[in-house]
Amino acid sequence: DYIFKSVEYLNFLPEAVQRVLSQVRVQRELQASRELNRAVLDSLGAHIAVLDPDGTLVSVNEAWQRFADAHA
């Protein structure tokens, strides 16, 4: 985020800082959520593949990857 320096810029600075801090918080929460999702999928012994609505492979868990590596 940015603000132009002017006589009034100090009035806008706290709001700009809050927006940036909020964006960073949301990005960290999203990353933590992705890491949790990955850990849960990888903790399952079943071979799991995640597909998008078009049927394209988006992600697989470790069990699926090990099976695929072992069976070419």
Side-chain angles (χ1 to χ4, degrees):
D1 208 348
Y2 64 91
I3 56 173
F4 294 102
K5 286 189 177 181
S6 68
V7 177
E8 300 87 22
Y9 92 97
L10 286 178
N11 295 334
F12 301 106
L13 186 59
E15 182 182 332
V17 169
Q18 284 302 105
R19 273 196 311 273
V20 170
L21 291 175
S22 178
Q23 290 170 352
V24 169
R25 180 184 51 76
V26 168
Q27 289 171 348
R28 287 181 180 169
E29 289 173 358
L30 179 58
Q31 182 61 33
S33 176
R34 287 179 175 154
E35 290 171 5
L36 177 62
N37 288 342
R38 168 61 43 199
V40 168
L41 283 176
D42 287 342
S43 72
L44 301 172
H47 305 148
I48 298 177
V50 178
L51 308 174
D52 71 9
D54 295 324
T56 303
L57 190 63
V58 175
S59 182
V60 297
N61 70 343
E62 285 183 11
W64 194 98
Q65 188 63 55
R66 282 192 306 271
F67 179 83
D69 291 343
H71 297 88

